[in-house]
Amino acid sequence: MRASAFARSAGRGIALVFGALVASATVSAQSGRPAPPAAQPIQAPVPPEPPLMPPTPNVSAAAESIYAVARPGLLQIRTLVEAAGRQSSIGSGFLVSADGLAVTNYHVVSQYALEPKTYRLEFARPDGSQGPLKLIAIDVANDVAIVKVDGTDLPHLEFDPAALEDKSPRGERLYAMGNPLDLGFTIVEGTYNGFVEKSYNARVHFTGAINPGMSGGPAVTAAGKVAGINVAKRLDGELVSFLVPASKVSALFERAKTEPPLDLGHVRDEIDRQLVTWQGAFYHALGEQGFKAATLGPYEAPESAAPWFNCWARTNADQTPKPRAQLDSTSCSSQSSLYIAEDIETGRAELSHAYVRSVDLNPFQFAAFVSQYYGGAGLIRSWSRKRLTQPECHEDFVQRDDGGKAGPVMRTVWCARAYRDFAGIYDVAITTVTQDRDKEALVSRLAMQGVSYENAVTLAQRFLGELAWAK
């Protein structure tokens, strides 16, 4: 599960949705013994009965036939605690080759990938057959994994040609399959709504019910071809779900057919390599997009121009009782994150600014108020001590002196923590507060998750260089 408004769909459930035939009912009137004519009340004219409606199409007929064809290639994927022999988590998957290669999400098999001596993988098929699974390849950035079932001439699913070229038509009917909440295999009808617009990592917006336990299952077209795999849903919406595009899944599948299988003794090294590669591309793209200036009172503050950032604003001006210091803030964050383990996600970048000004605080009181707000903003969020080191921070006063934009003196705190299992990857936060006025200030923060130290320093320097007085 995700810690935010998103939830990955490993481990829980969904009901099978079928359409219902509409039956028409006729009402028959009963008549008693007729009364004498003099006592008979005047009857209003009886309107004619409406014509019979044509029968409602059986919308589940397509789902029924699609599921019947796909069923032999579906898998439930279980992560079991080796010592106890009981499942720790469940997800879904599906066969993509006759020799037993199958697809699922990385997060479905992540426990086993990181702790292969503690866990083992097992599959169960709709016909009740079970067996061990081998982990062949992973793609952490796209949340995909390839596993293998022993066997030959196995029934399997094929990829949709249009989806492989990322050209599926918006509005196309898709059918998501999986085993939610360990209730049994199901099929759910939904709609393809294109790629998520504000996301660095490619995700398909699927309007349909994907629930925990369905992660890794296929979403197929009416022809039964794979258009994507179930990966997550929004917790704060209805039927707002997401798929990994078929093109990303197929790319890992093709590599897995020719490359040596994953060495379980060096899985963390492979994850480290993938994280370093991903963050290099992400922060390079972030730098290429550059910053755009936003005016906050007498200050000019940088916001990312990257299209995958989502920004929100807040104010306390309407609070009751009236605040003694007014705070207007903006917060922008990337809409992508990488799942590493149940207790750690990475890959997000966030920028925030708060323009604070006194309402009736004297300079001393205002300085105390800003210090309290600034101190909280300077800390990195809670962390997994198993995965990350304790943050180390350094504080100093800085001012731009490169002959560019004129800017105020800023009290600045730089905090960083390292990833214990992945060399060269850090979480970094830099927080600044202006020092040039006694009753107003700008508090700014840049937070980067899963970044190399070099990239963190480069982006932080650009960020500080864009903090200036407004013209």
Side-chain angles (χ1 to χ4, degrees), residues 305-370:
W308 57 85
F309 270 73
N310 200 18
C311 299
W312 299 90
R314 295 179 61 188
T315 183
N316 68 346
D318 56 351
Q319 287 184 357
T320 302
K322 187 177 180 65
R324 301 190 67 190
Q326 185 169 331
L327 190 152
D328 300 322
S329 65
T330 63
S331 178
C332 303
S333 64
S334 63
Q335 297 299 293
S336 302
S337 64
L338 306 185
Y339 180 100
I340 305 301
E342 186 176 11
D343 54 355
I344 181 172
E345 291 194 22
T346 188
R348 293 177 66 89
E350 300 178 352
L351 300 91
S352 64
H353 303 286
Y355 174 48
V356 190
R357 55 197 181 277
S358 171
V359 174
D360 60 7
L361 298 175
N362 62 41
F364 178 80
Q365 292 170 325
F366 181 74
F369 175 84
V370 171

Side-chain angles (χ1 to χ4, degrees), residues 221-303:
T221 66
K225 305 297 184 182
V226 178
I229 63 173
N230 312 327
V231 66
K233 69 173 183 177
R234 286 292 295 250
L235 294 176
D236 55 351
E238 297 294 336
L239 304 181
V240 182
S241 304
F242 305 96
L243 312 174
V244 179
S247 57
K248 303 298 183 183
V249 182
S250 176
L252 183 63
F253 170 53
E254 293 300 324
R255 292 199 300 272
K257 291 192 295 184
T258 58
E259 295 178 357
L262 187 65
D263 182 351
L264 294 180
H266 294 88
V267 172
R268 295 174 190 236
D269 294 337
E270 175 60 17
I271 295 174
D272 188 18
R273 183 192 68 79
Q274 293 186 17
L275 289 177
V276 169
T277 300
W278 183 89
Q279 69 83 32
F282 176 77
Y283 284 99
H284 174 75
L286 198 57
E288 288 286 304
Q289 293 289 332
F291 292 106
K292 57 184 179 181
T295 300
L296 295 167
Y299 303 104
E300 191 175 273
E303 293 182 349

Side-chain angles (χ1 to χ4, degrees), residues 94-97 156-161 164 218-221 223-227 246:
F94 57 99
L95 291 161
V96 287
S97 72
H156 59 278
L157 281 68
E158 298 178 348
F159 292 101
D160 177 61
L164 290 178
V220 305
T221 66
K225 305 297 184 182
V226 178

Side-chain angles (χ1 to χ4, degrees), residues 52 87 106 116 122 148 172 197 245 276 303 410 443 471:
L52 293 176
Q87 62 192 32
Y106 162 76
E122 181 180 278
K148 193 173 191 307
E172 180 180 19
E197 295 178 358
V276 169
E303 293 182 349
M410 296 175 290
V443 180
K471 296 179 179 179

Side-chain angles (χ1 to χ4, degrees), residues 126-462:
D127 63 5
S129 60
Q130 301 179 10
L133 277 174
K134 298 177 183 177
L135 182 58
I136 304 299
I138 58 173
D139 180 349
V140 175
N142 290 301
D143 203 350
V144 183
I146 303 296
V147 293
K148 193 173 191 307
V149 175
D150 289 333
T152 57
D153 297 325
L154 297 174
H156 59 278
L157 281 68
E158 298 178 348
F159 292 101
D160 177 61
L164 290 178
E165 297 181 0
D166 297 330
K167 293 181 179 179
S168 298
R170 190 181 295 265
E172 180 180 19
R173 179 66 64 180
L174 296 181
Y175 302 83
M177 288 174 274
N179 191 330
L181 287 180
D182 209 11
L183 296 174
F185 289 92
T186 62
I187 182 168
V188 178
E189 298 183 53
T191 307
Y192 174 91
N193 277 298
F195 281 75
V196 177
E197 295 178 358
K198 292 184 177 181
S199 177
Y200 176 77
N201 289 337
R203 290 290 184 268
V204 169
H205 177 194
F206 173 67
T207 303
I210 292 178
N211 284 296
M214 296 182 69
S215 277
V220 305
T221 66
K225 305 297 184 182
V226 178
I229 63 173
N230 312 327
V231 66
K233 69 173 183 177
R234 286 292 295 250
L235 294 176
D236 55 351
E238 297 294 336
L239 304 181
V240 182
S241 304
F242 305 96
L243 312 174
V244 179
S247 57
K248 303 298 183 183
V249 182
S250 176
L252 183 63
F253 170 53
E254 293 300 324
R255 292 199 300 272
K257 291 192 295 184
T258 58
E259 295 178 357
L262 187 65
D263 182 351
L264 294 180
H266 294 88
V267 172
R268 295 174 190 236
D269 294 337
E270 175 60 17
I271 295 174
D272 188 18
R273 183 192 68 79
Q274 293 186 17
L275 289 177
V276 169
T277 300
W278 183 89
Q279 69 83 32
F282 176 77
Y283 284 99
H284 174 75
L286 198 57
E288 288 286 304
Q289 293 289 332
F291 292 106
K292 57 184 179 181
T295 300
L296 295 167
Y299 303 104
E300 191 175 273
E303 293 182 349
S304 177
W308 57 85
F309 270 73
N310 200 18
C311 299
W312 299 90
R314 295 179 61 188
T315 183
N316 68 346
D318 56 351
Q319 287 184 357
T320 302
K322 187 177 180 65
R324 301 190 67 190
Q326 185 169 331
L327 190 152
D328 300 322
S329 65
T330 63
S331 178
C332 303
S333 64
S334 63
Q335 297 299 293
S336 302
S337 64
L338 306 185
Y339 180 100
I340 305 301
E342 186 176 11
D343 54 355
I344 181 172
E345 291 194 22
T346 188
R348 293 177 66 89
E350 300 178 352
L351 300 91
S352 64
H353 303 286
Y355 174 48
V356 190
R357 55 197 181 277
S358 171
V359 174
D360 60 7
L361 298 175
N362 62 41
F364 178 80
Q365 292 170 325
F366 181 74
F369 175 84
V370 171
S371 293
Q372 182 180 18
Y373 180 81
Y374 164 83
L379 296 177
I380 300 178
R381 295 171 181 174
S382 61
W383 70 96
S384 166
R385 296 180 184 274
K386 176 181 177 181
R387 307 291 184 187
L388 299 160
T389 64
Q390 186 170 346
E392 294 185 7
C393 299
H394 174 74
E395 183 173 349
D396 207 344
F397 290 88
V398 300
Q399 183 176 26
R400 182 169 182 164
D401 61 357
D402 60 359
K405 296 179 181 178
V409 174
M410 296 175 290
R411 179 185 171 194
T412 304
V413 174
W414 167 281
C415 293
R417 61 188 180 191
Y419 286 58
R420 297 185 186 277
D421 297 325
F422 312 117
I425 297 294
Y426 301 85
D427 286 350
V428 175
I430 183 168
T431 307
T432 69
V433 60
T434 57
Q435 303 287 300
D436 60 314
R437 288 172 166 81
D438 60 5
K439 286 194 174 184
E440 58 185 332
L442 178 68
V443 180
S444 299
R445 183 171 185 261
L446 168 65
M448 298 163 279
Q449 291 182 324
V451 61
S452 70
Y453 210 77
E454 179 183 2
N455 283 337
V457 169
T458 299
L459 190 61
Q461 287 177 336
R462 291 188 61 181

